[in-house]
Amino acid sequence: MNFWTSFLGYQAVWFAAVIGAAHGLSWPGVLGWVIFAGCQLAFAPRPGCSVLLMLCAVVMGCLVDGTLIHAGLAIYAAPWPGMPFPPLWILVLWASFSLTFTGALVYLQSRPWLAAVFGAIGGPLAYLGASRGWHVVAFSSPAWRATAVLAVGWAVATPLLAMLAHPGKKDATEGINA
């Protein structure tokens, strides 16, 4: 996918997931992800690699957002009933975000430091926007602790996803799109 299709597709999933969660629903985000991922996979030169990239992103989401939940730093709207995992709408955002590394964020594949800075700033800003605009995540006071965890988590996850998406790598330990 080209830059704009990837960028706008991810933004559509983000809004569907966040607005859905604001109404206690996960299915709008899931539906958005199914459409976005379906389009991405239909045009991907190696769709299996993109699926593996999404799975890695979901694991990273479980680690980052799970840390916030288990540390008592964040509460999410539309959580799993009786489950201590990040809500489904957050996990589909992670999966969708990973697909932007073969489209809108392809330039980060060979720039890990830029990806880390992008993640450290952009990740927390997205959560703060969702928190303040739609009240789908609430941070315990002082909020800087959750923001710091998010900054570190995204500073690690973003370059990892970018490197995993790099098509020039030779094997799974060096890159998913081998």
Side-chain angles (χ1 to χ4, degrees):
M1 280 195 161
N2 69 28
F3 175 88
W4 288 108
T5 306
S6 175
F7 175 77
L8 294 173
Y10 174 71
Q11 292 304 309
V13 174
W14 192 90
F15 281 107
V18 170
I19 293 169
H23 291 93
L25 305 169
S26 289
W27 71 262
V30 173
L31 179 60
W33 167 72
V34 166
I35 294 168
F36 178 60
C39 291
Q40 283 276 93
L41 295 174
F43 296 103
R46 302 200 56 206
C49 295
S50 294
V51 170
L52 189 54
L53 185 62
M54 285 190 287
L55 290 173
C56 289
V58 168
V59 169
M60 291 178 196
C62 285
L63 292 172
V64 173
D65 290 287
T67 298
L68 290 175
I69 292 167
H70 291 291
L73 296 174
I75 298 170
Y76 294 88
W80 295 96
M83 301 288 278
F85 302 110
L88 184 57
W89 65 271
I90 282 284
L91 298 179
V92 299
L93 287 177
W94 277 89
S96 298
F97 179 69
S98 73
L99 294 175
T100 64
F101 289 101
T102 59
L105 300 179
V106 70
Y107 64 92
L108 293 178
Q109 288 181 358
S110 60
R111 296 171 180 88
W113 288 107
L114 182 59
V117 171
F118 177 83
I121 296 168
L125 284 177
Y127 284 72
L128 290 171
S131 172
R132 294 191 177 157
W134 286 274
H135 309 288
V136 294
V137 60
F139 300 118
S140 64
S141 190
W144 69 264
R145 294 180 302 165
T147 305
V149 170
L150 286 169
V152 170
W154 280 91
V156 171
T158 304
L160 283 175
L161 290 170
M163 288 186 288
L164 288 170
H166 196 282
K169 300 298 181 175
K170 300 244 188 278
D171 63 38
T173 60
E174 296 177 23
I176 288 179
N177 284 334

